[in-house]
Amino acid sequence: MLLMRRRNVHNLFTLCVLLLLCCSGPVSSLDCPEKCVCNSTTVKCVSQNLMSIPRRLPENTTTFFFTGNNLSHLTVDSFPVLLEQLTALYLSGNQIEQVDARVFDNLPNLHLLDLNNNRILNFSSHAFPENNTLRVLNMSQSLYNGSYTLSNLFKHSVPKLSRLDLSNNDLILIPDVIASLPNLTSLDLRHNSIVSVYNVTFRSQVLNFLDLRDNSLKNIPNGTLTDLSQLAELQMHLAGNTWFCDCNIKDMVIWLQKSEFVVDKANMTCFGPTELRGTTLILLDQTKLQCADSGDMKGVLETSYVFLGMVLALIGVIFLLVLYLNRKGIKRWIYNIRDACRDHMEGYHYRYEINSDPRLANLSLNSDV
């Protein structure tokens, strides 16, 4: 009897284990979409030349990889079924050009979205649900027209975003809407063409990582330096920019020498002027940092005088050339003026002789009568 009870307990335990494995085990092959691989709660549809996302994904999917395919347009029908457990979505390498409104409405708990290596021209500001929980957004090498796309996206769409990757997008200016992301802790802007950080504020007290390597920055203004100094836990990368080492960079050099959060400041070198190219910024002699308008004005004036002399010489050559080409007409014109002057002078001389001789004067009067 005791043996029978032990067997029943053992069978019950075995049944419970099997039920547990069935609930938490791999997704069955019947639920896994065609040309995809399913493992537990992860679904991978990688490099299968798929034109669209599978219509039905397993309901317990938490991570979905749809990478290296031919998806060019994300519409409201891309995710037609509610997937409450999906938290990570990878859509890199699909050449996506457009993201419509309400695309992610059925993914209410999406925390990570990877759109790396696409060609997004239009990203609707209403693509995410109103109370979305997106934390991480990777848009590296994915923007066809960065400034226009970003200006619409970040204003009110992703208020809880904490990590943003915008590297390799040929951005010229830092999007001003960055300030509207109060929870942003990490901002990656590497390998762009950013020329200035004027009118950009970094006052987010939670920002702890900022990467501006390999851009076209020449200087950082004092206002931005002040904002960055208030971020106690910030780690910053600035190497690989085209720093121009003149008098305008003095404050930045002093700031670099005192700050500890610029990780690669030892690799920051001058791009210009020529005599300082390659010099490390933190080792600069500030007495050598001069501006063009405060330099040797004598050389500037000499250059101006030489240029003025060349212009006057050119005008003189043109004038002589015109005289040479019209020499016959000019000679005739001079002779005519000479003859006219001579006739005029003879008339004055004749009038003088008449006035000086009384007899001729009386004769002139009688002739007038």
Side-chain angles (χ1 to χ4, degrees):
M1 189 68 178
L2 182 60
L3 182 60
M4 292 279 296
R5 289 181 177 177
R6 288 181 177 177
R7 287 181 178 177
N8 291 335
V9 172
H10 177 72
N11 292 335
L12 183 60
F13 178 75
T14 303
L15 181 60
C16 292
V17 172
L18 290 175
L19 289 173
L20 182 63
L21 290 175
C22 289
C23 294
S24 61
V27 177
S28 65
S29 59
L30 296 177
D31 294 332
C32 193
E34 186 180 358
K35 295 185 178 181
C36 299
V37 177
C38 301
N39 183 14
S40 185
T41 59
T42 299
V43 179
K44 294 183 178 181
C45 308
V46 180
S47 302
Q48 296 296 323
N49 293 322
L50 297 174
M51 303 289 292
S52 62
I53 296 173
R55 299 288 296 175
R56 295 190 66 86
L57 295 174
E59 293 182 359
N60 65 339
T61 303
T62 60
T63 304
F64 180 39
F65 290 86
F66 191 86
T67 60
N69 291 292
N70 294 322
L71 176 66
S72 61
H73 190 181
L74 283 173
T75 68
V76 67
D77 296 325
S78 296
F79 298 96
V81 179
L82 182 64
L83 298 171
E84 292 184 324
Q85 299 184 41
L86 185 63
T87 58
L89 177 59
Y90 296 87
L91 297 173
S92 61
N94 284 297
Q95 302 301 312
I96 297 173
E97 297 180 356
Q98 183 167 340
V99 182
D100 290 348
R102 304 183 61 187
V103 170
F104 306 109
D105 277 7
N106 285 328
L107 310 177
N109 296 311
L110 186 64
H111 290 174
L112 183 151
L113 177 59
D114 187 352
L115 291 168
N116 175 40
N117 191 20
N118 284 289
R119 287 175 56 84
I120 300 175
L121 177 62
N122 185 18
F123 200 128
S124 174
S125 58
H126 301 288
F128 299 96
E130 184 175 354
N131 297 319
N132 68 84
T133 59
L134 191 68
R135 301 287 194 279
V136 181
L137 178 59
N138 184 356
M139 299 186 71
S140 175
Q141 198 176 349
S142 63
L143 300 177
Y144 183 75
N145 188 347
S147 300
Y148 174 77
T149 303
L150 295 177
S151 62
N152 293 327
L153 178 61
F154 294 138
K155 287 183 178 179
H156 307 289
S157 300
V158 284
K160 297 181 180 180
L161 195 67
S162 61
R163 294 177 58 189
L164 177 60
D165 188 344
L166 295 174
S167 58
N168 298 285
N169 278 310
D170 291 328
L171 297 176
I172 298 177
L173 298 173
I174 299 177
D176 56 355
V177 292
I178 296 299
S180 63
L181 300 173
N183 298 309
L184 191 66
T185 60
S186 175
L187 178 59
D188 192 343
L189 292 167
R190 287 175 296 168
H191 303 290
N192 283 291
S193 302
I194 298 173
V195 297
S196 173
V197 291
Y198 286 92
N199 300 324
V200 179
T201 58
F202 296 96
R203 296 178 182 177
S204 173
Q205 297 300 317
V206 296
L207 188 67
N208 55 40
F209 180 83
L210 177 61
D211 199 335
L212 285 166
R213 282 177 289 180
D214 300 311
N215 280 281
S216 301
L217 293 173
K218 297 181 181 298
N219 189 11
I220 298 180
N222 292 340
T224 304
L225 296 178
T226 302
D227 289 347
L228 294 173
S229 299
Q230 296 176 0
L231 305 175
E233 299 182 0
L234 179 65
Q235 287 189 351
M236 193 173 181
H237 296 267
L238 290 171
N241 282 278
T242 56
W243 305 112
F244 194 81
C245 298
D246 60 1
C247 63
N248 296 316
I249 207 172
K250 284 185 179 181
D251 292 336
M252 179 180 165
V253 171
I254 297 173
W255 177 80
L256 281 174
Q257 293 171 346
K258 293 180 179 180
S259 65
E260 298 294 335
F261 50 82
V262 181
V263 179
D264 55 353
K265 62 181 180 180
N267 298 325
M268 296 172 61
T269 58
C270 299
F271 184 79
T274 305
E275 58 271 17
L276 293 176
R277 179 171 295 183
T279 306
T280 304
L281 262 67
I282 58 175
L283 301 179
L284 275 174
D285 182 0
Q286 297 184 26
T287 59
K288 296 182 179 180
L289 300 179
Q290 298 181 354
C291 288
D293 56 354
S294 62
D296 187 8
M297 291 301 297
K298 181 179 179 180
V300 176
L301 291 175
E302 289 179 354
T303 303
S304 301
Y305 290 149
V306 170
F307 180 74
L308 179 61
M310 293 175 61
V311 172
L312 293 176
L314 180 61
I315 294 174
V317 169
I318 294 174
F319 179 73
L320 292 175
L321 180 62
V322 171
L323 291 179
Y324 175 76
L325 294 176
N326 294 276
R327 58 188 182 278
K328 292 183 179 179
I330 294 174
K331 185 176 181 180
R332 189 182 304 109
W333 177 72
I334 293 175
Y335 285 161
N336 290 337
I337 292 177
R338 184 196 62 183
D339 294 341
C341 291
R342 184 172 56 188
D343 293 342
H344 196 65
M345 293 302 295
E346 287 180 353
Y348 273 115
H349 182 69
Y350 177 72
R351 178 69 61 181
Y352 175 76
E353 289 180 349
I354 290 177
N355 293 333
S356 59
D357 191 342
R359 292 174 301 173
L360 293 177
N362 294 331
L363 180 60
S364 177
L365 292 174
N366 293 330
S367 63
D368 291 339
V369 176

